[in-house]
Amino acid sequence: GIQVEQSPPDLILQEGANSTLRCNFSDSVNNLQWFHQNPWGQLINLFYIPSGTKQNGRLSATTVATERYSLLYISSSQTTDSGVYFCAVDAPITQGGSEKLVFGKGTKLTVNP
Amino acid sequence: KAGVTQTPRYLIKTRGQQVTLSCSPISGHRSVSWYQQTPGQGLQFLFEYFSETQRNKGNFPGRFSGRQFSNSRSEMNVSTLELGDSALYLCASSFSGAFFEKNYGYTFGSGTRLTVV
């Protein structure tokens, strides 16, 4: 099945720094999403980005589907950005017409004041 | 617009018991899928329901089952609980059609944290 690899696994920043998180995937995908998991466990949808570039405030994301990778940029990081960031791809399933999300292992971001 | 609602938020059960978790999707979403998150295995797909039918199932034993009601609310059940079933169970809803219609992404609930003792 499709493989999703995220890097780096851990990232420690000082408040105000910028960072780039990477997601590589092994096969063609229909969709790609970036999530932030908060300390209470909820997955917050950051971007739905199967291709192209999107921006939302201090966050932006770029997916180059032909080269099978996506990048999440965080600028001017804040302590509230801490948490785990997941990349997930929507992998087609041959039987039943259903798709499912395949997740990477995540990048744990710690932003220190 | 209300989000995805999961109940209960926390559960503590004893080995051998069974448990039922509930998920109410976003209004208008007909697809509900379930995921299990553990420190060792990460986030793994359990199953997905669309229009009261299970469309796909992940690689989990038969003790894990689910169903979907006509209002799209879904429940998942785990029977004969084992210590390894302790996990965060997340439900996601999406606007998915019956015939490979475009999926505009998944929205997750807050999860149910199950502890088996």
Side-chain angles (χ1 to χ4, degrees):
Chain A
I2 194 166
Q3 304 293 319
V4 180
E5 292 185 0
Q6 290 186 245
S7 59
D10 294 278
L11 187 57
I12 300 175
L13 301 173
Q14 286 299 123
E15 203 167 23
N18 301 329
S19 61
T20 301
L21 282 57
R22 186 176 179 100
C23 171
N24 293 332
F25 43 97
S26 61
D27 207 342
S28 299
V29 298
N30 294 334
N31 306 311
L32 186 145
Q33 282 184 263
W34 283 97
F35 296 93
H36 175 215
Q37 189 165 41
N38 64 24
W40 297 272
Q42 185 172 10
L43 287 171
I44 308 298
N45 183 29
L46 298 176
F47 294 102
Y48 167 81
I49 186 166
S51 63
T53 298
K54 290 187 177 179
Q55 180 157 9
N56 184 5
R58 295 181 297 103
L59 303 181
S60 64
T62 295
T63 297
V64 183
T66 53
E67 298 187 22
R68 299 179 183 166
Y69 74 89
S70 182
L71 302 174
L72 177 69
Y73 304 96
I74 304 175
S75 64
S76 304
S77 58
Q78 301 175 358
T79 55
T80 52
D81 295 330
S82 296
V84 183
Y85 290 80
F86 288 100
C87 167
V89 299
D90 203 343
I93 298 176
T94 54
Q95 55 177 308
S98 167
E99 298 171 331
K100 67 175 182 180
L101 282 175
V102 177
F103 285 82
K105 295 189 183 301
T107 292
K108 183 178 179 182
L109 175 64
T110 303
V111 181
N112 293 319
Chain B
K1 172 168 160 176
V4 179
T5 303
Q6 289 189 247
T7 56
R9 290 296 306 277
Y10 302 93
L11 268 179
I12 300 176
K13 290 287 188 178
T14 304
R15 269 185 305 175
Q17 287 186 313
Q18 75 166 15
V19 66
T20 299
L21 313 181
S22 178
C23 173
S24 293
I26 289 172
S27 178
H29 285 191
R30 293 191 292 169
S31 170
V32 175
S33 49
W34 290 87
Y35 293 79
Q36 181 197 64
Q37 185 178 27
T38 59
Q41 300 299 318
L43 280 148
Q44 293 186 291
F45 171 76
L46 278 158
F47 28 64
E48 189 246 2
Y49 287 87
F50 178 84
S51 290
E52 303 179 64
T53 301
Q54 185 182 86
R55 290 202 293 190
N56 198 55
K57 191 176 193 310
N59 189 24
F60 280 82
R63 300 185 296 106
F64 291 81
S65 63
R67 59 178 175 169
Q68 186 180 34
F69 302 95
S70 58
N71 62 357
S72 294
R73 188 178 70 87
S74 176
E75 290 181 347
M76 67 162 282
N77 184 75
V78 188
S79 62
T80 319
L81 284 165
E82 300 177 359
L83 296 179
D85 297 333
S86 295
L88 178 65
Y89 290 88
L90 291 160
C91 162
S93 80
S94 66
F95 183 76
S96 176
F99 301 106
F100 301 98
E101 290 176 26
K102 185 174 175 59
N103 178 324
Y104 291 94
Y106 297 80
T107 301
F108 281 81
S110 299
T112 294
R113 193 168 294 277
L114 172 65
T115 302
V116 182
V117 298

